[in-house]
Amino acid sequence: MNDWFFKRGGRDRFINWMALDSKLNSTLGESWSRIKDHWNAGSSYFARFQLVGWRRLLNEFASESLTMMFGGFVVLYGLALPAFQEFDESKFQTGKYAVTFLDVNGNEIGKRGILHNDAVPLDQIPDVLIKATLATEDRRFFEHYGIDVFGTLRALLTNVQANEVVQGGSTLTQQLAKNLFLSSERSLQRKIKELFLAFLLESRYSKRQILKLYFDHAYMGGGTFGVEAASQYYFGKSVRDINMAEAAMLAGLFKAPTKYSPLVDLAASRARTNQVLDNLVEAGYYTAGQVHAARMNPAKIVESRPSSSPDWFLDWAYEEVQRLAEGKGQYVLTARTTIDLTLQRQAEEALNAALKRNGKTDHFDSGAIVVMEPDGKVRAIVGGPDYGESQFNRATHAKRQPGSSFKVYVYATALENGFTPDTIVRDMSRSCGRWTPSNYGGRGGSGMRLPLWQALARSLNTVATELSFVVGRDKVIDMTKRLGIEGVKKTCSMALGDGGLTVLEHTAGFATFANDGRSARPYGILDITTSKGDLLYSRERDEPPPKQVVSKKVAEEMNVMLNRVVTEGTAGRANLDFTNVAGKTGTSTGPKDAWFIGFTGKYVCGVWVGNDDNRPMRAGVTGGHQAAPIWHDLMTVAHTDMNIPTIPGLVPHPRQVEEQQRLAALKAAQIAAGLEPAASKSADSKGGSIMPDKTRAVLKTLVSALRKAEGVPEEPAAEPASATKPQGKTEPPGPAQDRTKENAPRRSDRRATLLDQPRGGLPLPTVASQSSSASPHAGAH
């Protein structure tokens, strides 16, 4: 063969295969021998460390202990991480702002900010107050490291012996951690966070610093924070000057400032003071003879200040001031607010009356109320049953499931997409994955045909869910965003209110419909002035006019449907006999939340009741059963006259018609007597004023006196603004004010086509599965 490969020595010209094979074999053999030698040498070396007997047991115990310690460290880190995320040193200061709040008429209603922080150094706080606090709240404060195990056991034993809660188990550091970073929610998770935050505070700050922070940040009742503010409030003097009886009274307020406030319950305050004096003797700080004089001469209270303060509203208003004044370089401010103090008090009384009347029976202990006007002007906020017990504002910060009250946004979206109140729908819905909606009580859809308004009035879950699928859940989310509600997630049961909303934002969402479709973002500040009297912010000047976020037609049709929820549906207990009411009930699964959001032509009011720890209420409790009666009671006293505007889309209530006729006759009589022009001029002049007339008069007098003192001639009186500049435009009443029809015009030719036949690009709803399994939101009603 003539092939180079088979020629003699042809392969060896390129690779010597025999030599390569020999080299490879020898290398592998030598490597294996070396590995065995090293292994044997290592085994012989480590054999000398082999433990037997008790040494081996001790080694095993140490190894297991290290393993368990490492695992425990990982677990502790996992538990501590949420607590460390809550830690924020900026919360040590109430804020860099010092704000004085006024009502609409210019009367001071409260203060917030840094006015009392660090006002008195710890060295100048009386020794008797420090000892009274330690004897009552934490006797081993200077001995423990944030957690007092022995003190907790002692408090537990004392409480068992007394058959009531006499002593608390939380240290001062734990209480400070709760006051600064946490809410008063009673849960294991909150307690774990409190423990780790206490350790963190102890590791970063000295005992004296912690004690000073505690004295400065504790709530002491009457809207005061810190012992200096409390001393000024109750005794009219600095904490530096208090005696033993007054110190004992202040120390007794830390546990429950509202319950033991001498302005609320003097007998309870005196009893608590005597208990603190007993603690001083038991702790060995004083003898019985030394405290005897304090028992015989109790603290005298200065009652020059009101015992109630709109604290819930002020806390929210303070947040609004910080937002509006941010970046403007001014920190000592005066803000005029929108609060109605009478309405605020009535709202607090309405909630507390319901809690006392039905709280134990129906198993709920908390609630929140927001009252605003249709344009978003907030008039009252109630963030909980007792501000002294818990300052967590449930009206503005707690996100709770709205249940069926969320359906208003779904139905409004449907009205924007071709549906009408009279569109015929069916009581059924398609499934979404493995989930199938069911109506209240766990019943599936009946398949019955009924008009859209009746489905809302009966709060049918199947119809609301199907509507969200038909019009598109993304469109529903877009509707909520236009109404100022953020964070709604696209889920199968979204239409049944499975997300979380605050009472404030939910109420403002309903206010958009009461405002004829115009945006109704909540606001509580009318104007802000600096310490020099300069106008820093004016809502009338700085805020744009509200946008039309929902068409008037949709808003009016929605109002007609919501009115029928009250007159013919689930919210019958909210109906008023003197004006029209529109609104929607809501109940979450459990039931854990009960809602009613409703409005008249004058007020929009949201009511929520439930439990802070998310425990379910008594079975059968609904928004129509609990929240609607609270709303009814509050609105009955809130409307002081019958001159109530008409809800857009509804005909005036007969009582409003009578009142309008009476006012028209009165106006005619005033015109005939020549009184009307002067009254109108006075009203217009007052309406355009930012500063109250009394305040303006005092300032003018002061300026005049200063000019005379300096020999400066008086300036000529300026012409009144009302005479030189036109007043702000008053928007003419919308067509809804003169509307005389009861419902939106019927369009019967579309009634049977929008759901039974595809039309206008709307898909035909599919028939729901015959499965009647209860949905997780079957309780939403």
Side-chain angles (χ1 to χ4, degrees):
M1 299 179 62
N2 190 18
D3 191 337
W4 66 270
F5 187 79
F6 289 96
K7 291 181 179 180
R8 184 181 181 88
R11 291 180 294 178
D12 294 338
R13 294 178 183 178
F14 300 97
I15 300 175
N16 189 343
W17 295 103
M18 295 296 294
L20 179 64
D21 180 67
S22 175
K23 184 67 173 177
L24 183 63
N25 288 337
S26 62
T27 300
L28 292 175
E30 291 176 1
S31 298
W32 177 245
S33 298
R34 291 175 182 175
I35 290 173
K36 290 192 296 181
D37 291 342
H38 284 298
W39 175 264
N40 292 332
S43 298
S44 300
Y45 177 79
F46 283 105
R48 70 185 66 181
F49 297 105
Q50 185 175 3
L51 299 177
V52 294
W54 65 271
R55 292 186 179 87
R56 181 170 183 176
L57 292 177
L58 182 61
N59 179 71
E60 292 290 341
F61 177 77
S63 300
E64 294 298 330
S65 298
L66 288 174
T67 302
M68 294 180 66
M69 288 175 61
F70 178 77
F73 175 79
V74 173
V75 172
L76 286 176
Y77 180 78
L79 293 174
L81 189 60
F84 295 157
Q85 292 174 344
E86 297 281 353
F87 187 81
D88 182 5
E89 289 189 349
S90 65
K91 294 183 179 179
F92 289 172
Q93 298 293 328
T94 308
K96 57 184 178 180
Y97 294 95
V99 186
T100 300
F101 290 98
L102 312 176
D103 63 11
V104 178
N105 299 319
N107 302 311
E108 182 178 331
I109 58 174
K111 296 180 180 180
R112 286 294 186 271
I114 62 173
L115 293 178
H116 298 115
N117 281 2
D118 300 324
V120 180
L122 185 63
D123 294 338
Q124 297 181 22
I125 294 178
D127 185 63
V128 64
L129 176 59
I130 296 175
K131 290 180 177 178
T133 303
L134 296 179
T136 304
E137 300 295 332
D138 190 357
R139 296 183 185 179
R140 300 183 67 252
F141 173 70
F142 288 99
E143 301 173 17
H144 62 68
Y145 196 74
I147 308 299
D148 185 7
V149 177
F150 297 105
T152 302
L153 294 176
R154 184 188 68 248
L156 180 62
L157 179 61
T158 302
N159 294 338
V160 170
Q161 292 175 344
N163 199 26
E164 62 177 341
V165 179
V166 177
Q167 295 183 7
S170 296
T171 64
L172 285 186
T173 314
Q174 289 177 263
Q175 295 179 45
L176 177 62
K178 184 187 74 171
N179 293 338
L180 289 175
F181 309 113
L182 305 173
S183 69
S184 295
E185 175 189 4
R186 296 180 180 179
S187 65
L188 180 61
Q189 182 181 13
R190 201 271 298 166
K191 197 65 178 178
I192 293 174
K193 288 183 180 180
E194 180 184 294
L195 296 177
F196 283 105
L197 286 171
F199 283 129
L200 188 58
L201 288 172
E202 290 277 353
S203 66
R204 291 200 174 193
Y205 302 97
S206 67
K207 289 290 187 178
R208 291 176 59 83
Q209 290 174 318
I210 292 174
L211 188 60
K212 181 63 169 64
L213 287 170
Y214 182 80
F215 281 138
D216 283 341
H217 290 82
Y219 179 69
M220 306 293 284
T224 61
F225 289 83
V227 292
E228 169 66 9
S231 180
Q232 295 285 356
Y233 179 79
Y234 291 112
F235 312 128
K237 58 183 177 181
S238 173
V239 71
R240 301 178 180 90
D241 304 321
I242 61 175
N243 56 36
M244 180 180 288
E246 293 165 343
M249 197 214 81
L250 290 180
L253 292 174
F254 290 115
K255 180 179 180 180
T258 300
K259 179 179 179 181
Y260 296 122
S261 170
L263 299 176
V264 176
D265 191 337
L266 183 60
S269 176
R270 294 280 174 82
R272 177 65 174 169
T273 300
N274 285 327
Q275 187 178 5
V276 174
L277 294 173
D278 290 338
N279 293 336
L280 281 171
V281 176
E282 292 176 5
Y285 292 129
Y286 292 94
T287 65
Q290 290 174 312
V291 303
H292 180 73
R295 296 184 192 275
M296 296 296 100
N297 299 281
K300 296 181 180 180
I301 308 303
V302 177
E303 300 187 14
S304 58
R305 301 186 181 186
S307 60
S308 60
S309 174
D311 295 307
W312 301 114
F313 184 93
L314 292 179
D315 287 349
W316 173 71
Y318 181 62
E319 296 172 2
E320 290 293 292
V321 168
Q322 294 179 87
R323 178 180 63 83
L324 295 170
E326 184 178 3
K328 296 186 178 181
Q330 296 292 333
Y331 304 107
V332 181
L333 306 171
T334 299
R336 194 162 61 96
T337 67
T338 60
I339 190 172
D340 183 331
L341 293 175
T342 300
L343 189 55
Q344 175 73 30
R345 176 180 53 80
Q346 292 169 340
E348 293 174 358
E349 291 175 352
L351 178 61
N352 287 318
L355 290 171
K356 291 180 181 179
R357 182 173 60 248
N358 300 319
K360 291 185 178 180
T361 304
D362 290 339
H363 304 161
F364 66 90
D365 58 16
S366 189
I369 297 176
V370 171
V371 183
M372 64 177 63
E373 294 183 5
D375 68 341
K377 180 188 292 185
V378 178
R379 308 310 302 271
I381 292 179
V382 182
D386 187 346
Y387 188 84
E389 182 177 343
S390 169
Q391 294 84 56
F392 178 67
N393 198 330
R394 298 153 186 84
T396 59
H397 292 134
K399 288 187 174 290
R400 307 291 300 216
Q401 288 188 353
S404 290
S405 61
F406 185 86
K407 293 174 183 175
V408 64
Y409 310 123
V410 179
Y411 279 78
T413 307
L415 293 177
E416 279 192 340
N417 288 271
F419 287 73
T420 72
D422 296 315
T423 299
I424 298 299
V425 295
R426 302 187 69 181
D427 179 15
M428 61 192 314
S429 176
R430 70 192 77 175
S431 298
C432 181
R434 297 182 178 181
W435 178 76
T436 301
S438 59
N439 292 320
Y440 180 70
R443 300 183 301 273
S446 64
M448 178 180 65
R449 296 161 59 88
L450 70 168
L452 192 69
W453 70 262
Q454 190 174 4
L456 179 63
R458 296 175 57 183
S459 198
L460 297 178
N461 294 339
T462 52
V463 175
T465 305
E466 181 63 20
L467 284 174
S468 70
F469 295 146
V470 170
V471 302
R473 286 171 286 172
D474 290 327
K475 291 184 178 180
V476 177
I477 295 176
D478 177 68
M479 168 67 74
T480 61
K481 290 181 178 179
R482 278 185 280 154
L483 270 55
I485 299 173
E486 300 291 341
V488 177
K489 296 181 180 180
K490 183 180 179 180
T491 62
C492 292
S493 56
M494 177 186 71
L496 307 185
D498 62 355
L501 300 179
T502 66
V503 181
L504 181 65
E505 64 182 341
H506 201 16
T507 305
F510 272 68
T512 302
F513 302 104
N515 202 28
D516 210 8
R518 293 185 296 272
S519 177
R521 300 298 173 93
Y523 67 93
I525 306 299
L526 295 175
D527 52 65
I528 302 174
T529 55
T530 67
S531 57
K532 297 180 180 179
D534 299 328
L535 186 63
L536 186 70
Y537 166 83
S538 170
R539 177 173 178 80
E540 183 179 1
R541 180 193 68 185
D542 300 329
E543 297 294 341
K547 296 181 180 180
Q548 192 77 33
V549 294
V550 177
S551 69
K552 291 185 177 182
K553 170 180 167 294
V554 170
E556 292 168 5
E557 289 181 339
M558 196 71 245
N559 292 342
V560 170
M561 296 173 66
L562 290 174
N563 174 247
R564 303 189 81 162
V565 173
V566 177
T567 58
E568 304 179 45
T570 59
R573 296 190 180 189
N575 203 9
L576 300 173
D577 60 1
F578 57 85
T579 189
N580 291 320
V581 176
K584 185 69 185 75
T585 57
T587 311
S588 67
T589 306
K592 296 181 180 179
D593 308 275
W595 294 75
F596 180 72
I597 314 290
F599 52 89
T600 65
K602 186 175 183 179
Y603 292 123
V604 185
C605 177
V607 177
W608 166 83
V609 295
N611 291 300
D612 288 337
D613 58 4
N614 218 27
R615 287 181 292 107
M617 296 176 282
R618 179 182 61 80
V621 172
T622 65
H625 175 263
Q626 272 301 342
I630 299 175
W631 189 96
H632 173 274
D633 294 344
L634 175 57
M635 289 295 101
T636 299
V637 297
H639 293 82
T640 56
D641 59 66
M642 295 300 104
N643 187 23
I644 304 171
T646 303
I647 296 175
L650 302 182
V651 297
H653 192 275
R655 293 289 296 275
Q656 269 71 74
V657 174
E658 295 176 5
E659 182 66 11
Q660 290 170 6
Q661 292 174 349
R662 186 187 70 82
L663 292 176
L666 179 61
K667 184 176 181 180
Q670 290 177 339
I671 293 176
L675 300 176
E676 176 62 21
S680 298
K681 181 177 179 180
S682 176
D684 292 342
S685 175
K686 186 176 181 180
S689 173
I690 294 175
M691 187 178 294
D693 294 337
K694 293 182 179 179
T695 306
R696 179 176 284 101
V698 171
L699 290 177
K700 285 183 177 180
T701 303
L702 181 60
V703 170
S704 178
L706 291 174
R707 287 183 178 276
K708 290 180 180 180
E710 296 178 2
V712 179
E714 292 282 346
E715 290 185 355
E719 187 176 357
S722 59
T724 59
K725 295 187 293 183
Q727 294 295 320
K729 293 182 179 180
T730 302
E731 186 168 347
Q737 300 295 331
D738 299 323
R739 190 173 303 276
T740 56
K741 65 182 186 300
E742 180 179 2
N743 297 327
R746 293 175 174 256
R747 287 176 280 181
S748 57
D749 56 306
R750 298 185 57 132
R751 291 186 2 162
T753 60
L754 288 170
L755 282 184
D756 293 337
Q757 299 176 10
R759 183 169 179 172
L762 293 173
L764 179 67
T766 58
V767 178
S769 170
Q770 295 301 316
S771 171
S772 61
S773 60
S775 80
H777 300 280
H781 193 24

